[in-house]
Amino acid sequence: MSGRVNDDFIKKKEGDITSGPPSGRHPSGRLPYIHKVGKPPKQNLFKEITTTVKETFFSDDPLRSFKDQPKSKQFVLGVEAIFPIFNWARGYNLTKFRGDLIAGLTIASLCIPQDIGYAKLANLPAQNGLYSSFVPPLVYAFMGSSRDIAIGPVAVVSLLLGDLLQNEIDPKNVVPYQRLAFTATFFAGVTQLALGFFRLGFLIDFLSHAAIVGFMGGAAITIALQQLKGLLGIKTSQFTKKTDIVHVLHSVSHTAHHGWNWQTIVIGVSFLAFLLLAKYIGKRNKKYFWVPAIAPMISVIVSTFCVYITRADKDGVAIVSHIKKGINPPSAGDLFLTGEYLGKAFRIGVVAGIIALTEAIAIGRTFAAMKDYKIDGNKEMVALGSMNIIGSLTSCYVATGSFSRSAVNYMAGCHTAVSNIVMAGVVFLTLELITPLFKYTPNAILASIIIAAVVGLLDFEAAILLWKIDKFDFVACMGAFFGVVFASVEIGLLIAVALSFAKILLQVTRPRTALLGKISRTNVYRNIQQYPDAKQIPGILIVRVDSAIYFSNANYIKERILRWLDDEEERIEEHGLPKIQHLIVEMSPVTDIDTSGIHALEELYRSLQKKEIQLALANPGTIVLEKLYEAKYSDLIGDSNIFLSVSDAVLMYAPKTSNIEEP
């Protein structure tokens, strides 16, 4: 603290310290005043803890709307908090229903062929994919807070689930494999529900955007490679169960002479070209968004009709053969809640649940921002978890928000989650009436639909932007990408998580510091690397610390400041400049400090004392200053060496050489 503790403002003149007006300059215009740093009031420990807990877990103040409300109103608000449909349904009208109806029918035409293909990607019967677009969307429509997200199976989660499940049980053992899938779905839902209920949604933010871009891109390549089996007509027994590019391409080349079917290739490649063309048309002109939306269903109808009338299945064209008719049968009794598969199902469910949750939250936030409304992340997790728990009891596997379907839902003009109800209604009719018609649907068309769908997961623009902005982010992106492509989905996910945490640790343990200089004709001090014209003050070294000071980085910050000092002393000796007598640490970016940080500052002070250099702190925040006073650090360096700003410290130490100019 500069000057006497009770003075509001002080100035330096021949060693005399007197109070003055808060103008920053004496009325005569000769001598400047230095503002005093206020000692913060001591905080109540209980209040500080409750404030921290509230900001961490209840920053949205979920009970705010319940305050000062009668019991009946609180009950209604409680029901609406769990089931948002009872809130927005009061303002629902025919105009909104018209938009939701069109959107629901549009995404239904897209989801039905995709669901059949994604179920095969998870090594499950085709009907399980349709089941997962019937019950989960209905549950979400009542409990979800997003207006635009379309619920159902997605490619990445289907691939991940299939890859993890087949490592435990051979998909040929249909019943135990399905039981393990349902159990994993149950634990995926429990994980999502627990994260939302205990308000731990911030944990999924530890998976960085860069890692997700790389993981999704790698998954897209892997999914497309897996579809070569259906696209080329290779028999399942001749195709590898591994997902990495090396084994897949080896299987493809090994079967080139005797395992491919030319009729299948013609069907697959022709319709893939049609689907990609439809996608291109929809991307070029937003008015034709419905073209890529209905293209998969058109492809299924046309290809199924062609196979049926030509009986191409007798010439080796693989077909779906049979989709079980009827809506979701109960599966609560099929869950592995005891035995050796319980732990395995839990591990698979946690991984799949977090990936599904990350994708859904990202999609929900994206479209909420586009329509300028808010979604509650914790409510979303509870809704997604509830729908997957209920889904696991009704023969569904992990469902989440689909970006492609959500985009179509948004462009089709949906207003509320009723579009999901409409979609579920169409799937219901399909399961009850239409499934026998899919008997002659060729597997090649499903492969084409999946390949066309996952093309959008390859975000080249995002990867290029990562390279331009942050090289470490790009490394994290590529690490996750190559991990998925050359190892497995599980390894790629592990690399994505590891690199995300590595970046956090690197930023925490090795924070940035900067040398500051004075911008000409101002009282502003900035990084001399960013502003080469900024002038350093003779005899004074000014260093800024751009991070909280904790046990993880305290020693590094102390040593980095001393290295700055050593480098400057070498430069000064070479150029014959005045010796450094004062070191000012700009602490405005330091949001917090712990005992290790204070201990490091004490060591820094003692090291500088041996060099006969005075340490000063500029603009420490309330929390930091309070802890420094509690630790008696202010007594160590002296109140007069804690300043409101860098300019005040410079005025105190070198009023003549600083030559403060009016802007």
Side-chain angles (χ1 to χ4, degrees):
M1 186 175 295
S2 182
R4 292 194 302 269
V5 174
N6 295 325
D7 287 342
D8 290 331
F9 301 91
I10 64 172
K11 67 175 183 176
K12 179 178 180 182
K13 180 181 180 183
E14 298 178 356
D16 180 41
I17 299 177
T18 60
S19 62
S23 61
R25 183 171 290 274
H26 191 276
S28 66
R30 292 192 300 273
L31 296 173
Y33 291 95
I34 300 172
H35 295 256
K36 149 187 166 336
V37 175
K39 181 179 178 180
K42 189 173 182 179
Q43 297 293 316
N44 180 280
L45 179 61
F46 177 76
K47 185 176 180 181
E48 187 176 352
I49 292 173
T50 54
T51 300
T52 302
V53 171
K54 181 180 177 182
E55 284 301 312
T56 303
F57 300 101
F58 304 99
S59 58
D60 56 343
D61 195 5
L63 300 178
R64 179 176 52 192
S65 59
F66 289 81
K67 295 176 182 177
D68 302 322
Q69 297 287 349
K71 294 293 184 181
S72 58
K73 182 65 173 178
Q74 288 182 358
F75 175 76
V76 173
L77 292 174
V79 172
E80 290 178 352
I82 299 173
F83 302 102
I85 190 172
F86 291 113
N87 182 17
W88 54 258
R90 288 198 297 266
Y92 201 69
N93 53 44
L94 188 60
T95 302
K96 291 182 178 180
F97 177 71
R98 189 182 300 113
D100 288 336
L101 178 64
I102 295 172
L105 293 173
T106 306
I107 58 176
S109 67
L110 177 63
C111 86
I112 291 170
Q114 282 187 347
D115 290 345
I116 297 171
Y118 291 159
K120 288 187 174 294
L121 200 59
N123 301 313
L124 288 166
Q127 62 265 18
N128 289 114
L130 294 172
Y131 295 159
S132 301
S133 277
F134 174 48
V135 171
L138 291 176
V139 177
Y140 182 85
F142 280 83
M143 300 185 68
S145 59
S146 173
R147 306 172 193 169
D148 302 278
I149 197 168
I151 297 296
V154 297
V156 173
V157 177
S158 299
L159 174 68
L160 176 64
L161 201 63
D163 186 35
L164 296 178
L165 291 173
Q166 71 179 1
N167 291 334
E168 308 299 336
I169 298 178
D170 191 330
K172 292 180 181 178
N173 298 324
V174 178
V175 174
Y177 185 88
Q178 281 184 294
R179 292 184 65 189
L180 186 62
F182 299 151
T183 310
T185 301
F186 175 80
F187 284 116
V190 169
T191 301
Q192 295 168 339
L193 181 63
L195 288 173
F197 183 79
F198 293 107
R199 309 187 72 81
L200 299 174
F202 63 89
L203 294 176
I204 65 173
D205 292 332
F206 282 93
L207 197 59
S208 70
H209 171 70
I212 292 174
V213 169
F215 175 76
M216 291 294 188
I221 297 293
T222 301
I223 291 168
L225 290 172
Q226 288 290 304
Q227 300 316 302
L228 292 177
K229 173 178 63 177
L231 198 67
L232 302 175
I234 302 172
K235 295 181 180 178
T236 303
S237 59
Q238 297 175 316
F239 201 78
T240 181
K241 292 182 180 179
K242 296 185 179 295
T243 59
D244 63 281
I245 189 171
V246 176
H247 283 90
V248 171
L249 292 182
H250 180 266
S251 287
V252 171
S253 62
H254 184 70
T255 58
H257 297 294
H258 54 82
W260 295 8
N261 181 276
W262 71 267
Q263 295 99 324
T264 301
I265 295 173
V266 170
I267 294 172
V269 173
S270 300
F271 282 99
L272 177 59
F274 168 70
L275 291 167
L276 292 176
L277 177 62
K279 204 176 188 73
Y280 175 77
I281 292 171
K283 190 174 182 179
R284 284 293 300 271
N285 194 328
K286 299 299 181 184
K287 292 190 299 184
Y288 298 119
F289 70 89
W290 52 270
V291 174
I294 66 171
M297 184 59 77
I298 292 174
S299 300
V300 168
I301 294 172
V302 174
S303 62
T304 301
F305 179 73
C306 291
V307 170
Y308 175 73
I309 62 173
T310 61
R311 296 312 306 266
D313 56 307
K314 294 184 178 181
D315 294 321
V317 175
I319 57 176
V320 172
S321 294
H322 176 68
I323 298 179
K324 190 175 179 180
K325 187 178 179 181
I327 60 172
N328 307 38
S331 56
D334 295 333
L335 303 183
F336 286 120
L337 299 180
T338 58
E340 62 174 315
Y341 291 117
L342 177 62
K344 297 174 180 178
F346 177 78
R347 176 180 60 84
I348 296 170
V350 169
V351 174
I354 290 175
I355 292 300
L357 193 60
T358 303
E359 185 169 356
I361 294 296
I363 294 168
R365 286 174 178 171
T366 299
F367 288 104
M370 292 170 67
K371 283 191 174 180
D372 194 26
Y373 68 91
K374 294 181 180 179
I375 63 169
D376 187 322
N378 290 297
K379 285 183 181 178
E380 283 295 285
M381 294 175 203
V382 171
L384 292 165
S386 299
M387 77 179 193
N388 277 314
I389 291 174
I390 296 172
S392 69
L393 307 179
T394 54
S395 302
C396 304
Y397 74 96
V398 181
T400 187
S402 165
F403 189 83
S404 59
R405 283 181 235 169
S406 298
V408 170
N409 197 31
Y410 169 80
M411 290 186 288
C414 73
H415 294 282
T416 67
V418 169
S419 60
N420 274 293
I421 298 176
V422 173
M423 179 190 72
V426 175
V427 173
F428 168 78
L429 294 175
T430 301
L431 286 167
E432 287 290 348
L433 304 173
I434 307 175
T435 49
L437 300 180
F438 289 109
K439 178 179 179 180
Y440 291 99
T441 300
N443 288 337
I445 199 63
L446 301 178
S448 300
I449 290 169
I450 292 174
I451 292 173
V454 299
V455 166
L457 296 178
L458 286 167
D459 198 341
F460 295 105
E461 292 181 1
I464 293 171
L465 189 61
L466 290 172
W467 171 259
K468 291 179 179 179
I469 295 175
D470 191 319
K471 299 300 187 290
F472 190 91
D473 266 355
F474 181 78
V475 170
C477 175
M478 290 297 100
F481 176 83
F482 289 118
V484 174
V485 171
F486 287 100
S488 67
V489 178
E490 195 172 7
I491 295 297
L493 179 60
L494 184 62
I495 292 173
V497 173
L499 290 174
S500 296
F501 274 97
K503 183 177 182 181
I504 295 171
L505 292 175
L506 185 63
Q507 291 176 336
V508 170
T509 59
R510 294 295 183 267
R512 297 181 186 276
T513 58
L515 286 186
L516 304 186
K518 179 176 174 291
I519 304 294
S520 179
R521 299 186 62 78
T522 72
N523 293 338
V524 177
Y525 291 79
R526 290 291 183 266
N527 188 343
I528 60 175
Q529 290 184 339
Q530 183 179 3
Y531 299 92
D533 295 335
K535 304 297 183 183
Q536 291 182 257
I537 307 301
I540 300 177
L541 181 67
I542 308 170
V543 180
R544 187 183 68 214
V545 178
D546 293 334
S547 167
I549 306 177
Y550 292 130
F551 66 92
S552 57
N553 60 23
N555 192 57
Y556 168 79
I557 290 173
K558 179 199 70 175
E559 293 179 350
R560 186 68 186 94
I561 292 174
L562 291 174
R563 286 204 306 272
W564 279 122
L565 180 62
D566 292 339
D567 293 341
E568 282 300 299
E569 287 180 333
E570 289 181 9
R571 185 181 70 85
I572 285 170
E573 187 176 347
E574 289 179 5
H575 295 85
L577 298 173
K579 182 180 179 296
I580 293 176
Q581 296 178 321
H582 303 277
L583 190 149
I584 302 171
V585 180
E586 157 68 303
M587 299 190 69
S588 55
V590 181
T591 56
D592 201 358
I593 192 169
D594 64 4
T595 52
S596 298
I598 294 173
H599 184 64
L601 289 182
E602 291 172 349
E603 292 180 350
L604 175 64
Y605 172 78
R606 295 188 182 98
S607 298
L608 295 175
Q609 286 292 297
K610 294 176 183 178
K611 296 174 177 285
E612 297 183 345
I613 297 174
Q614 177 61 52
L615 174 65
L617 306 181
N619 196 23
T622 302
I623 295 175
V624 174
L625 194 58
E626 179 191 348
K627 292 182 178 181
L628 292 178
Y629 272 102
E630 289 294 330
K632 307 298 182 184
Y633 185 77
S634 57
D635 295 340
L636 180 66
I637 69 169
D639 280 348
S640 60
N641 293 305
I642 302 178
F643 297 90
L644 180 65
S645 66
V646 173
S647 61
D648 280 358
V650 173
L651 283 172
M652 176 63 75
Y653 294 141
K656 294 180 181 179
T657 56
S658 62
N659 189 24
I660 299 298
E661 305 161 301
E662 290 291 345

